[in-house]
Amino acid sequence: MQFAEDHATAEFVIHSCDADGIRVNDQNLSESFLLLPGQPVRPWPVAVDSPLRPEHFSAVLEHNPELVILGTGADLRLPDPEVYGALLSREIGLEAMTTVAACRTYNLLAQDGRNIAAYLILPA
């Protein structure tokens, strides 16, 4: 899905998301990754069928965003309840959705100046 071009001022802008990957700023990504405030795009070694556990989200705890957007691939998958607990204990919200929906949501919230992180799962 190609997103409409706008003149966003957010640090990261997701320009497209489809079966071939995601384009963030000028970078084409074809494997799962995470976006953290003030950090370069990082690979995230999580596959579509991997169980989502608290240790997969340890990087976000260092940056303390107000919200984590989790894109789980083409289908919605909820992480283990312990993931929610680990983040909520630090007052970090978590919203899980399909990756396409997560890309759109990330852009809207980032453009609004929100302190958010995104974990986006892509097929290997």
Side-chain angles (χ1 to χ4, degrees), residues 17-112:
C17 177
D18 58 32
D20 296 325
I22 297 175
R23 189 168 142 249
V24 177
N25 295 351
D26 293 326
Q27 191 174 5
N28 292 315
L29 302 157
S30 58
E31 295 181 359
S32 301
F33 64 94
L34 60 114
L35 299 174
L36 295 169
Q39 299 292 308
V41 175
R42 293 189 192 182
W44 190 40
V46 173
V48 170
D49 57 355
S50 297
L52 298 170
R53 296 199 166 86
E55 58 268 17
H56 293 124
F57 296 85
S58 60
V60 78
L61 298 177
E62 301 168 20
H63 300 282
N64 208 36
E66 63 185 270
L67 179 66
V68 172
I69 304 295
L70 172 62
T72 62
D75 298 315
L76 173 62
R77 287 186 312 127
L78 297 177
D80 289 345
E82 293 83 17
V83 172
Y84 286 100
L87 294 176
L88 287 175
S89 71
R90 301 281 299 267
E91 298 183 1
I92 300 171
L94 174 64
E95 291 292 333
M97 56 195 77
T98 66
T99 296
V100 170
C103 290
R104 288 191 305 261
T105 302
Y106 177 86
N107 278 347
L108 288 170
L109 295 175
Q111 181 62 32
D112 202 31

